[in-house]
Amino acid sequence: MMSGLLLLRALRAALPGAAAVVRRLRTAAPRPVFAKELFLGTLRKEEVFPYPEISNEELEEINQFVGPVEKFFNEEVDSKKIDQDAKIPPETLKGLKDLGLFGMQIPEEYGGLGLSNTMYARLGEITSSDGSIAVTLAAHQAIGLKGILIAGTDEQKAKYLPRLASGEHIAAFCLTEPGSGSDAASIQTRATLSEDGKYFLLNGSKVWISNGGLASIFTVFARTEVVDKDGQLKDKITAFIVERDFGGVTHGKPEDKLGIRGSNTCEVHFENTKVPIENVIGEVGGGFKVAMNILNSGRFSMGSASAGMIKKLIEMTAEYACTRKQFDKKLSEFGLIQEKFCFMAVKAYVMESMAYLTAGMMDRPGFPDCSVEAAMVKVFSSEGAWACVSEALQILGGLGYMKDYPYERYLRDTRILLIFEGTNEILRMYIALTGMQYAGKILTDKIKEIKKGNVGVALGEFLSKLQDIMGRKVDYGLVGDRGVVHPSLQESGKKLEENIYYFGATVRGLLSRFGKTIVEEQLVLKRVADIVINLYAMTAAISRASRSISIGLRNHDHEVLLTNIFCTEAYFKNNYAMTQLEKYADENLDDSIKKAAKQVLEKRAYTCSHPLDRTF
């Protein structure tokens, strides 16, 4: 019998114009950034309007994959058993391998499916129906083998990718250590070059490694001695491909986790493991950059995965709400229940819009840097998924809390999304600081030009300030006769334009006020990140809904409704956050918050007297 992977390849070959569908290396001039420009109050609408589309051939191709994968997850995956046994059965793993799901983004020349980012996101909607499987697959290809894919040599790719694509070998990503979590640069695992210079001796321990007990191939990050440009000996991080067969590789027992219980998570130890010098990924000393590129490239898919899960939750919960009666009325007739369904639908729509916009941008020629966009998708969708699962469980009431139903499992599985692949706190700092740094450099260059006597730049700045004083009409070309936004979304488009302009002004004010010390102002940066995440979310939803109504997709009026609800709420949240960021704003309680936290942390306890205490 033909395996699932071979069957899918045969179907692909049968598609009209199949030869043209193969995705080759994309080469073009680097594309301008989108998210970073928002920090300047600039909207590069050509990057996000119209909403990305895939060709009919690609659509047919992805649909050939969707059917078999959905069938497998519906009929062959027992999520309750996986959760209870804390293990994915061997036959389920075999089925995933046969479908080619261990090689989704590995090029066809190395035995993979060679899917684009958009196609990968689409399959992620289905695989996310089981959290343990989703994590196992993501740990393997989104991070485990991604270093070989994006920074490996041709020899490394030819040697390792074919067996990783088939699932014969499973990959793991080894960065986290007992003393270094979010602070990846502080790892202590060490690789020492042998005297003959032919191999490194690797020693150290890694913790919380997904697939750690299953993997044959590890991407490992370790400290190495490097001679810098000045001839000084320095410690720098290097990335290595480590085979379990090299020897000295052991792992601990699987961790007993709150959620994603079927995924394998354990400690991995390296003791005098001999790693050939040709197994360095990238350059010796260039490992930190490799690690960041790996993590940055995979985060976007959390949006489609989370949306897929929430859409399934909405179906299951709506069935219950439309049949359960209380006080002689169906639950679905109560306003507070309706509010929850609206909340879930809006979140699913927006995170899906963000994910596929980002995937489409990443699939364009020119290797665009979408690391900020991908981080924004991860933060928004992980927090949205957690909130939606909580609301779904609330609708079910007591039933939702019972293990006979999947809601409590979804709740446990979802909580990790806010923690791994970069905690949301760290990612908010990354989003804000990356954008602020980008804006700061450009604004500094402008100031230098003005100081040099560049009349054009000085006049431009003066006129901009004058327009602000006199009441500026913000127009980025989104709305109006020549606008790219559909008329039914005009109000949302105007709100987005206004928010973007005043966000740019807010960023300029913050850079002027804090300068380089902005790095230490985490509560300020959190608000900056939240605003720009909302701006990107508004952009994605408006662009998608405009496309849907323009081409006449079914239920496009529902998309417009969800978009307008989200954009109106986000607009007022952004305005309030920008008000809080003004100097001496009464709405800003940062100093009080820090003072209260300091008093608690100094005592390492809740310090208030008990309400029953007395002094007499």
Side-chain angles (χ1 to χ4, degrees):
M1 182 179 168
M2 188 183 285
S3 78
L5 178 54
L6 290 173
L7 179 62
L8 290 171
R9 289 223 181 96
L11 288 167
R12 167 185 278 175
L15 285 172
V21 177
V22 176
R23 279 160 294 283
R24 294 182 176 85
L25 188 66
R26 297 163 187 270
T27 53
R31 296 187 70 93
V33 290
F34 174 76
K36 292 177 190 173
E37 288 279 322
L38 294 173
F39 287 80
L40 290 164
T42 304
L43 173 64
R44 289 192 174 273
K45 65 177 185 288
E46 69 280 1
E47 292 297 308
V48 290
F49 289 94
Y51 196 76
E53 288 187 329
I54 59 174
S55 66
N56 286 330
E57 288 80 13
E58 282 184 299
L59 186 60
E60 283 186 55
E61 185 183 358
I62 191 61
N63 286 336
Q64 299 283 9
F65 289 112
V66 166
V69 175
E70 277 187 336
K71 186 174 187 291
F72 177 80
F73 273 81
N74 289 335
E75 297 176 7
E76 306 294 334
V77 174
D78 187 343
S79 294
K80 187 176 180 181
K81 183 172 170 36
I82 289 171
D83 183 61
Q84 285 175 342
D85 296 349
K87 186 180 181 183
I88 301 170
E91 60 272 19
T92 305
L93 282 174
K94 183 180 183 303
L96 296 168
K97 292 172 185 178
D98 288 345
L99 283 167
L101 297 180
F102 277 80
M104 284 189 266
Q105 285 200 289
I106 294 176
E108 287 182 83
E109 63 188 284
Y110 298 114
L113 297 180
L115 301 185
S116 64
N117 290 298
T118 301
M119 291 179 163
Y120 179 61
R122 177 66 185 94
L123 288 188
E125 287 186 49
I126 308 166
T127 58
S128 68
S129 64
D130 185 282
S132 297
I133 290 176
V135 168
T136 301
L137 291 174
H140 169 75
Q141 58 202 326
I143 53 177
L145 61 80
K146 185 61 75 77
I148 303 172
L149 206 55
I150 64 176
T153 63
D154 290 343
E155 291 77 16
Q156 289 170 344
K157 290 175 183 176
K159 181 177 180 181
Y160 291 110
L161 290 181
R163 283 189 283 186
L164 288 166
S166 68
E168 179 186 342
H169 285 169
I170 292 176
F173 179 84
C174 298
L175 179 63
T176 306
E177 295 182 6
S180 74
S182 296
D183 183 9
S186 67
I187 62 170
Q188 296 302 311
T189 295
R190 181 163 290 280
T192 309
L193 189 63
S194 62
E195 288 184 14
D196 60 10
K198 291 183 177 178
Y199 61 87
F200 284 88
L201 271 183
L202 184 65
N203 285 280
S205 293
K206 303 289 184 178
V207 296
W208 302 326
I209 305 303
S210 296
N211 295 349
L214 307 176
S216 308
I217 306 295
F218 304 86
T219 297
V220 184
F221 298 87
R223 290 195 165 280
T224 51
E225 286 190 341
V226 179
V227 179
D228 69 6
K229 294 173 186 173
D230 305 327
Q232 299 288 315
L233 210 58
K234 287 198 173 176
D235 258 4
K236 289 197 173 178
I237 295 170
T238 300
F240 298 92
I241 305 167
V242 180
E243 299 177 28
R244 190 179 286 273
D245 291 345
F246 286 166
V249 182
T250 56
H251 64 268
K253 65 180 178 60
E255 300 286 357
D256 189 9
K257 305 189 295 291
L258 170 73
I260 54 168
R261 291 176 52 75
S263 64
N264 179 276
T265 310
C266 61
E267 293 183 10
V268 179
H269 308 285
F270 303 96
E271 189 174 352
N272 292 326
T273 301
K274 288 175 76 169
V275 184
I277 194 156
E278 54 267 25
N279 276 42
V280 169
I281 301 175
E283 298 177 352
V284 174
F288 186 77
K289 186 178 179 183
V290 171
M292 294 306 103
N293 286 341
I294 290 169
L295 292 168
N296 288 341
S297 67
R299 291 189 180 110
F300 77 95
S301 61
M302 197 177 286
S304 63
S306 297
M309 181 195 67
I310 295 164
K311 287 192 282 186
K312 189 175 178 182
L313 266 179
I314 289 172
E315 282 183 26
M316 296 190 306
T317 316
E319 179 66 29
Y320 177 82
C322 291
T323 53
R324 169 80 166 166
K325 278 195 167 185
Q326 291 288 283
F327 309 104
D328 290 326
K329 288 171 76 174
K330 292 174 184 172
L331 287 188
S332 57
E333 295 175 42
F334 290 99
L336 290 179
I337 299 299
Q338 292 167 354
E339 182 187 36
K340 294 181 189 304
F341 279 101
C342 174
F343 176 83
M344 290 191 285
V346 167
K347 289 289 185 189
Y349 183 76
V350 175
M351 66 179 70
E352 190 175 54
S353 303
M354 293 171 79
Y356 282 100
L357 175 60
T358 308
M361 290 164 78
M362 290 170 71
D363 283 335
R364 289 176 189 158
F367 300 104
D369 174 15
C370 295
S371 59
V372 174
E373 288 86 347
M376 292 195 285
V377 174
K378 192 271 185 184
V379 173
F380 185 91
S381 55
S382 59
E383 292 176 2
W386 172 243
C388 287
V389 174
S390 180
E391 292 287 34
L393 192 147
Q394 190 72 14
I395 293 166
L396 269 286
L399 284 181
Y401 212 71
M402 301 301 143
K403 282 193 175 282
D404 288 340
Y405 296 84
Y407 300 92
E408 61 83 30
R409 186 180 73 248
Y410 277 123
L411 193 78
R412 289 185 286 108
D413 284 352
T414 306
R415 186 59 186 85
I416 191 64
L417 298 181
L418 290 78
I419 299 171
F420 70 5
E421 289 199 38
T423 69
N424 286 7
E425 289 74 21
I426 289 289
L427 289 182
R428 277 189 167 88
M429 296 303 102
Y430 172 74
I431 292 163
L433 286 171
T434 303
M436 298 284 269
Q437 184 182 35
Y438 178 84
K441 185 179 183 307
I442 290 171
L443 293 171
T444 301
D445 290 346
K446 268 190 181 180
I447 291 165
K448 283 179 183 173
E449 287 297 313
I450 291 168
K451 284 181 177 175
K452 282 181 192 172
N454 189 320
V455 179
V457 174
L459 188 61
E461 286 296 297
F462 171 74
L463 289 173
S464 180
K465 284 177 182 173
L466 187 64
Q467 281 181 293
D468 286 343
I469 293 165
M470 296 177 69
R472 171 187 294 268
K473 183 180 182 295
V474 181
D475 183 7
Y476 288 103
L478 290 187
V479 298
D481 295 340
R482 296 185 179 181
V484 291
V485 170
H486 191 273
S488 60
L489 293 152
Q490 293 259 350
E491 287 306 309
S492 289
K494 287 177 186 173
K495 288 180 172 71
L496 174 60
E497 286 184 327
E498 185 187 315
N499 269 178
I500 290 172
Y501 177 78
Y502 288 107
F503 177 62
T506 299
V507 168
R508 285 196 297 277
L510 292 172
L511 287 168
S512 171
R513 190 160 118 218
F514 293 108
K516 290 181 180 177
T517 64
I518 190 73
V519 176
E520 305 300 326
E521 300 293 330
Q522 291 200 344
L523 298 184
V524 169
L525 294 170
K526 177 180 183 288
R527 288 192 192 90
V528 168
D530 286 342
I531 295 166
V532 79
I533 290 168
N534 274 339
L535 295 179
Y536 188 54
M538 292 165 79
T539 303
I542 292 170
S543 179
R544 177 185 172 188
S546 288
R547 171 188 176 267
S548 297
I549 195 167
S550 297
I551 66 172
L553 284 184
R554 61 184 175 83
N555 299 329
H556 55 70
D557 54 333
H558 185 63
E559 293 189 39
V560 171
L561 179 61
L562 296 180
T563 299
N564 285 333
I565 289 169
F566 176 77
C567 289
T568 301
E569 289 182 340
Y571 169 78
F572 287 112
K573 285 178 184 173
N574 287 342
N575 283 341
Y576 184 68
M578 285 189 273
T579 301
Q580 287 181 305
L581 288 170
E582 289 174 8
K583 201 171 185 180
Y584 309 122
D586 290 337
E587 295 86 351
N588 189 309
L589 298 173
D590 289 359
D591 289 340
S592 297
I593 289 166
K594 286 190 262 193
K595 185 177 179 181
K598 186 179 178 183
Q599 290 170 353
V600 170
L601 292 166
E602 278 176 352
K603 301 287 185 183
R604 299 192 183 187
Y606 173 74
T607 59
C608 299
S609 300
H610 194 278
L612 300 182
D613 286 352
R614 53 193 291 171
T615 58
F616 54 89

